[in-house]
Amino acid sequence: MNKARKSFPLAKVYGLLEPGPVVLVTTACNGHPDIMAMSWHTMLEFEPPLVVCVISNRNHSFALLKATKECVINIPTVEIAEKVVDCGNTHGAKMSKFEKFGLTPVPASQVGAPLIKECFANLECRVVDTKLVNSYCFFVLEVVKAWIDPSVKNPKTIHHLGNGSFMVAGERIKLRSKMK
Amino acid sequence: MNKARKSFPLAKVYGLLEPGPVVLVTTACNGHPDIMAMSWHTMLEFEPPLVVCVISNRNHSFALLKATKECVINIPTVEIAEKVVDCGNTHGAKMSKFEKFGLTPVPASQVGAPLIKECFANLECRVVDTKLVNSYCFFVLEVVKAWIDPSVKNPKTIHHLGNGSFMVAGERIKLRSKMK
């Protein structure tokens, strides 16, 4: 485990995913990890944090997630945007994306899939509902452990606009909101 | 209809929602419209564009959407961020949020709910699957008509970080992605 990485409160996880960043989902089966880029996710519940994500059955990760029911959602920043796109452009069945793209797997504490060291946040997840996998490739995940690199302030997450265009997280503003 | 507003291809709708902006959902019943702020949404299919959103049954809009099965997803920019928060902070059962917050309803072409003129994009939606409403307050929507104000370049959408903090859309980058 990266010494800089700190446990992050589960009650605050929604604030990491609600802004809609591209994430890297890691899965692993029999010691072989895979990475996929994903943008189609949303929060479903604050606490315990539930996340819904859409993972196409054309992805190698689909089979791994269905078989193991475990994954890690890793949140990258613009500094590794090229690696994120590399992960999205390739199919993991016959290659190690970690080796190929210079990413570092770090053992998770609760699940078999690895964390990606180069990402500023890592959410260890278990699949808790597969009722919609067949109809919509929809997985309901519970975040069971969250990690963050506290040295990263105002992370410049990337947000997919389609066809290789991304928006990079800009300034932060504070408004008088009663919303959680 | 705002003369500046143009029809937008349904095949490109995912690029508006995939980056994860806060949106304003409008509903209407018996001529009484409501507006709610929402961040918990994701794309589910490219074309026809399907969107999944989580709308709590504590919201007035929940009942309106369940009854009418129609809504409009309006995408605001930082210029009206205060109005977005006002909509999120208030309950629509006994007030007109349009009047109260100085927003302008514009008739939609396919659904009974109004567009919000002050938003740069408007997606007319029909509910196509209610199987998950009871278990997760999950609505599956099909976007049946999309509008955009083409004069708005690089819209500064807002993205909720929790407790009144928002990230404003920053710079755009282009990478060699094979992703749609």
Side-chain angles (χ1 to χ4, degrees), chain A residues 74-96:
Chain A
N74 304 272
I75 311 180
T77 48
V78 69
E79 290 79 7
I80 60 166
E82 293 279 0
K83 293 177 194 285
V84 173
V85 170
D86 287 340
C87 288
N89 283 346
T90 50
H91 194 276
K94 289 185 178 173
M95 66 187 294
S96 164

Side-chain angles (χ1 to χ4, degrees), chain B residues 26-30 32-35 59-70 92:
Chain B
T26 45
T27 44
C29 197
N30 299 327
H32 295 287
D34 191 35
I35 311 175
N59 286 295
H60 183 50
S61 297
F62 176 91
L64 294 181
L65 185 57
K66 206 170 166 188
T68 64
K69 297 198 169 161
E70 293 180 347

